């Protein structure tokens, strides 16, 4: 088994190191017969993200690519195709503003061993509600199902096999909802999907969206609704 953890990044200097530290900890929990590494895909970065990654390479095994797409679907697919070309057969996605749990990868492997699966859709926890209204938190928690068998889809916590990813045609070049589109194609072609709340990621509660209709935009919309 060779696992690539693909992480798109657009001006994520404030969060990328926390993300990579969490990924490294998750990698260290794997048995020695499983190889895993992070692959950061820097998209149109104008801040210090690249410098931080280069510095971190001294301590961690990190690969990176650069592009100028400003399109998260294209960015994810670029990283995944690169990983596949270099022998990865299990592909895990997270985001540069997120932190994976220490057992993020071992839980994925446990699911694969317990029941063959082509894709795992995990859950996310919000890192802080401090800057948001209590009504926003309540509305979010009333909506979110943190259970096995949930039906939430997050690009920050999505993994799948190489064979299935290639068969469905990979991420579409979409600026948002590329994760939902991919999962729907897995479903339409009858691939086995595990909807797990054991595979966990903590994600940023920032309201400044990188993707116009992504998670930050979802929280921002909740906050605006609650303040009206």
């Amino acid at each position: 088994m060779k696992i690539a953890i693909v992480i798109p990044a657009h001006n994520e200097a404030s969060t990328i190191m926390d993300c990579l530290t969490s990924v490294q900890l998750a990698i260290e929990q794997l048995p020695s017969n499983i190889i895993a590494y992070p692959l950061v895909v820097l998209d149109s970065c104008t801040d210090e993200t690249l410098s931080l990654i280069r510095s971190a390479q001294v301590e961690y095994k990190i690969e990176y690519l650069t592009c100028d797409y400003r399109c998260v679907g294209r960015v994810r697919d670029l990283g995944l195709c690169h990983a596949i070309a270099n022998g990865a057969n299990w592909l895990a996605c997270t985001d540069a503003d997120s932190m994976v749990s220490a057992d993020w990868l071992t839980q994925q492997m446990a699911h694969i061993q317990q029941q063959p699966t082509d894709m795992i859709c995990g859950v996310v926890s919000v890192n802080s509600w401090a800057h948001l209204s209590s009504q926003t938190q309540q509305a979010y928690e009333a909506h979110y199902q943190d259970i096995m068998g949930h039906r939430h889809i997050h690009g920050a916590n999505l993994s799948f096999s190489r064979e299935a990813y290639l068969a469905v045609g990979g991420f579409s070049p979409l600026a948002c909802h590329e994760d939902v589109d991919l999962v729907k194609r897995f479903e339409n072609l009858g691939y086995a999907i595990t909807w797990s709340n054991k595979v966990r990621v903590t994600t940023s509660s920032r309201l400044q969206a990188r993707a116009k209709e992504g998670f930050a935009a979802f929280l921002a919309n909740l906050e605006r609704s609650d303040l009206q």
Side-chain angles (χ1 to χ4, degrees):
M1 176 77 71
K2 185 175 183 180
I3 305 171
I5 300 112
V6 175
I7 308 166
H10 171 62
N11 290 343
E12 298 287 6
S14 64
T15 60
I16 188 64
M17 291 313 301
D18 286 340
C19 173
L20 289 171
T21 298
S22 73
V23 167
Q24 180 63 29
L25 180 59
I27 289 171
E28 291 171 357
Q29 312 311 307
L30 290 168
S32 58
N33 63 325
I34 298 178
I35 300 169
Y37 68 96
L39 170 59
V40 182
V41 187
L42 297 99
D43 182 23
S44 311
C45 288
T46 57
D47 67 352
E48 297 301 313
T49 305
L50 178 56
S51 297
L52 290 169
I53 290 170
R54 285 173 170 165
S55 297
Q57 284 183 314
V58 175
E59 183 176 0
Y60 303 143
K61 180 188 175 184
I62 302 169
E63 295 190 15
Y64 71 88
L65 302 171
T66 61
C67 62
D68 188 21
Y69 292 158
R70 296 185 181 273
C71 174
V72 67
R74 290 186 67 189
V75 173
R76 290 195 198 277
D77 188 61
L78 174 66
L80 291 162
C81 289
H82 183 274
I84 289 169
N86 285 277
N89 52 13
W90 186 255
L91 306 161
C93 299
T94 192
D95 287 342
D97 67 341
S98 302
M99 296 176 62
V100 306
S101 65
D103 63 351
W104 186 61
L105 295 172
T106 57
Q107 287 290 354
Q108 292 178 43
M109 297 302 100
H111 280 308
I112 292 170
Q113 292 167 5
Q114 291 163 7
Q115 183 176 354
T117 189
D118 302 299
M119 171 180 274
I120 300 171
C121 296
V123 295
V124 300
S125 301
V126 174
N127 68 342
S128 173
W129 294 104
H131 60 292
L132 299 171
S133 69
S134 59
Q135 291 87 351
T136 294
Q137 181 177 358
Q138 290 166 9
Y140 176 86
E141 291 176 346
H143 157 78
Y144 202 85
Q145 292 188 311
D146 191 346
I147 57 173
M148 291 296 294
H150 68 87
R151 300 291 291 185
H152 301 297
I153 298 171
H154 305 285
N157 195 359
L158 194 61
S159 55
F160 35 81
S161 73
R162 170 185 61 199
E163 291 78 12
Y165 183 75
L166 292 173
V168 304
F171 276 108
S172 296
L174 300 174
C176 58
H177 303 314
E178 80 294 341
D179 46 2
V180 175
D181 173 78
L182 183 72
V183 174
K184 284 182 177 178
R185 281 184 281 124
F186 267 70
E187 290 181 311
N188 290 341
L189 290 176
Y191 284 104
I193 300 177
T194 299
W195 303 85
S196 174
N197 73 334
K198 296 180 180 180
V199 179
R200 307 187 65 84
V201 165
T202 300
T203 196
S204 170
S205 60
R206 68 187 180 191
L207 303 181
Q208 295 74 37
R210 297 294 193 267
K212 291 183 179 179
E213 298 178 28
F215 190 74
F218 173 71
L219 288 180
N221 287 335
L222 281 182
E223 184 76 355
R224 280 193 295 269
S225 298
D226 292 334
L227 294 176
Q228 291 176 358

